[in-house]
Amino acid sequence: MEGAFFRENLHYLHVDDRYIFTSGSTIVKTRVSSSNQQFLRIDEESVAPLSENVTEQIASEIEMILQDITIVIISDYAKGFITEELAQIIIQAARTRAIPVLVDPKGAFAAKYKGATAITPNNKEFLDLTGLTTIPSEDEIKVSALHLCNENSFDYFIFTRSEKGISVIERESGEKSDYPAVVKEVVDVTGAGDTVVSSIALTMGAEFSMDECVSIANIAASIVISRFGASQTTIEELNNAISFQSKKSHDVDSVLAQINWLKHQGKRIVFTNGCFDLVHAGHISSFLQAREFGDVLVVGVNSDESIRRIKGNSRPIVDLEHRIELLSALECVDYVVPFCEDTPQALIEQIKPDVLVKGMDWMGKEVAGSEFVRSYGGRVVFIELEQGLSTTNIVQKIRRSMD
């Protein structure tokens, strides 16, 4: 009944289902949850070996099935459908055509997937495949993975490790590369493994490097586990998340797109600004304090022309390009955005931060953007400054030392 319902929906969505082969009953999974917390899952299923008729049908049609296919995923749920015979029919036919095959494995019999391009076991599946009882040291993980790769002709062993991220062991080089988990609030891990496999498949099919494939898959998984239930990500969300991970300096339009996405994720945006000519310890202290008021710190920086209008033709000492490069290197700063006006008022109106941060020396003065931020319920916060530290003082000290 459930299988028929599924196919009816495929037909409704005009999805081609000619190569959906059925054997046995469709599994029904019921998740019991409360307040966005899953407590248990009840599976209604019957595990039975795949019938010879279905195996023969797939074997006879494999040439047609693989036409115009760029990558193959075998997701083995250990329900009887993926037998060793069927797995080998698919893998050998794909490899003959130079089509990569990714396998999400189950069980202790790695030879079932012999010849696959990569397998993607999780912690439990790693233990099943290696026969170990606990996850070993990092060196032992590499040794065990390489043994399985060499024995079964896997090109890659992609080990998905929950909070430890992903480790990739490559047979040809013998090297192990680690990709730490992208830090996010974990709401529900349902579908995280499927997200990793499908993301790697899509990017591998687009001829990305393995490093790029796994990096993107890691980010995609971080998005879906931050939501309740079986979820998925969109290209737009993934692009924004990738940009957020890899870049800090953008034009305003790019920053706004990413900040809107971050706000949708429930992140609090903090804004501060300045010339930041000769970055010093006082600036660092201000950034660290500002970062405490939210999740994302956006730093507005005056352009060279703006600084000359404010401070005279002898400034800035460091040009805008290098000031942006220096600020972007700071871990506590998420975005650096230049502005050409004398004040960041227009930039603040575009970003609409949750918190506007200024130094105590601005207390009682007119702060650009403050009224606007307060108008929609935002906060204006004044922070302590490191005494005696300023670019002007540093410049004067240098000049005195040269007299």
Side-chain angles (χ1 to χ4, degrees):
M1 181 176 70
E2 287 79 11
F5 173 76
F6 175 69
R7 296 193 87 142
E8 285 173 8
N9 277 274
L10 291 181
H11 294 158
Y12 176 76
L13 295 169
H14 306 292
V15 175
D16 186 352
D17 69 341
R18 79 183 83 171
Y19 295 127
I20 293 182
F21 301 94
T22 57
S23 178
S25 61
T26 301
I27 300 166
V28 178
K29 298 181 180 181
T30 303
R31 291 179 170 86
V32 180
S33 60
S34 176
S35 300
N36 284 355
Q37 178 65 53
Q38 182 176 306
F39 292 98
L40 61 98
R41 193 184 78 193
I42 303 167
D43 292 359
E44 300 173 59
E45 62 183 35
S46 60
V47 178
L50 185 65
S51 70
E52 289 186 12
N53 289 339
V54 174
T55 302
E56 291 171 1
Q57 185 182 3
I58 294 174
S60 66
E61 298 190 44
I62 194 68
E63 298 272 353
M64 188 67 68
I65 292 170
L66 293 178
Q67 278 193 347
D68 301 321
I69 297 298
T70 55
I71 197 153
V72 171
I73 300 174
I74 298 177
S75 288
D76 191 348
Y77 289 92
K79 307 304 180 187
F81 195 96
I82 304 296
T83 62
E84 181 182 4
E85 181 182 5
L86 179 60
Q88 286 304 305
I89 288 171
I90 297 171
I91 292 169
Q92 296 309 317
R95 294 304 291 260
T96 298
R97 293 160 181 77
I99 300 172
V101 180
L102 295 181
V103 177
D104 191 355
K106 286 290 186 296
F109 189 45
K112 178 180 182 178
Y113 316 111
K114 190 177 183 68
T117 307
I119 60 172
T120 62
N122 58 24
N123 285 322
K124 181 182 183 305
E125 292 155 0
F126 176 88
L127 296 177
D128 290 340
L129 288 167
T130 59
L132 299 170
T133 55
T134 58
I135 301 297
S137 67
E138 297 301 313
D139 287 340
E140 290 171 319
I141 286 173
K142 185 171 90 167
V143 170
S144 297
L146 282 174
H147 174 73
L148 286 168
C149 286
N150 290 322
E151 199 171 55
N152 300 285
S153 302
F154 304 141
D155 295 334
Y156 297 96
F157 190 98
I158 303 172
F159 183 16
T160 58
R161 309 177 62 184
S162 299
E163 72 279 357
K164 290 190 176 180
I166 302 173
S167 293
V168 178
I169 296 87
E170 182 182 14
R171 176 164 61 104
E172 184 177 355
S173 67
E175 295 300 317
K176 172 175 170 285
S177 302
D178 297 314
Y179 299 79
V182 179
V183 178
K184 265 187 177 289
E185 181 184 4
V186 178
V187 174
D188 193 336
V189 297
T190 300
D194 293 331
T195 298
V196 168
V197 174
S198 59
S199 298
I200 292 174
L202 283 169
T203 47
M204 186 182 288
E207 299 184 351
F208 285 34
S209 69
M210 181 55 71
D211 176 70
E212 292 170 321
C213 292
V214 178
S215 297
I216 291 171
N218 215 4
I219 294 172
S222 76
I223 294 173
V224 301
I225 65 174
S226 67
R227 300 169 179 158
F228 178 67
S231 182
Q232 67 282 323
T233 184
T234 65
I235 291 294
E236 181 182 11
E237 289 175 327
L238 194 53
N239 279 335
N240 284 327
I242 290 168
S243 296
F244 179 63
Q245 291 294 323
S246 60
K247 296 180 181 178
K248 292 186 178 184
S249 177
H250 304 270
D251 59 42
V252 174
D253 290 339
S254 297
V255 170
L256 289 176
Q258 292 174 47
I259 285 177
N260 287 336
W261 174 75
L262 289 164
K263 287 180 178 178
H264 183 70
Q265 304 296 312
K267 304 302 182 184
R268 288 177 59 78
I269 310 301
V270 181
F271 180 90
T272 192
N273 68 280
C275 298
F276 307 115
D277 192 15
L278 294 183
V279 174
H280 51 71
H283 294 139
I284 307 301
S285 173
S286 297
F287 294 146
L288 290 172
Q289 289 182 70
R291 196 65 165 73
E292 293 295 317
F293 294 103
D295 305 298
V296 179
L297 177 59
V298 181
V299 175
V301 56
N302 292 73
S303 67
D304 293 346
E305 295 79 7
S306 172
I307 293 177
R308 277 193 284 270
R309 287 195 300 269
I310 298 169
K311 297 181 179 290
N313 290 330
S314 64
R315 301 283 293 275
I317 294 169
V318 179
D319 62 36
L320 179 63
E321 179 184 353
H322 292 100
R323 283 184 286 131
I324 287 178
E325 186 176 345
L326 184 56
L327 293 171
S328 297
L330 300 174
E331 186 176 351
C332 56
V333 174
D334 296 301
Y335 291 103
V336 182
V337 189
F339 59 93
C340 297
E341 300 81 8
D342 291 351
T343 77
Q345 178 76 35
L347 182 58
I348 291 169
E349 290 181 7
Q350 289 178 291
I351 292 173
K352 295 181 180 177
D354 299 288
V355 184
L356 172 61
V357 175
K358 294 294 288 184
M360 280 291 186
D361 57 337
W362 281 91
M363 182 77 78
K365 300 178 183 178
E366 183 179 347
V367 175
S370 59
E371 289 187 16
F372 176 76
V373 171
R374 290 190 180 105
S375 72
Y376 54 80
R379 297 173 59 198
V380 178
V381 177
F382 296 95
I383 57 174
E384 296 289 345
L385 298 176
E386 293 285 338
Q387 296 301 311
L389 287 176
S390 73
T391 301
T392 300
N393 288 343
I394 293 172
V395 170
Q396 290 174 349
K397 185 175 182 180
I398 293 172
R399 286 173 175 166
R400 285 197 300 270
S401 70
M402 297 176 66
D403 292 340

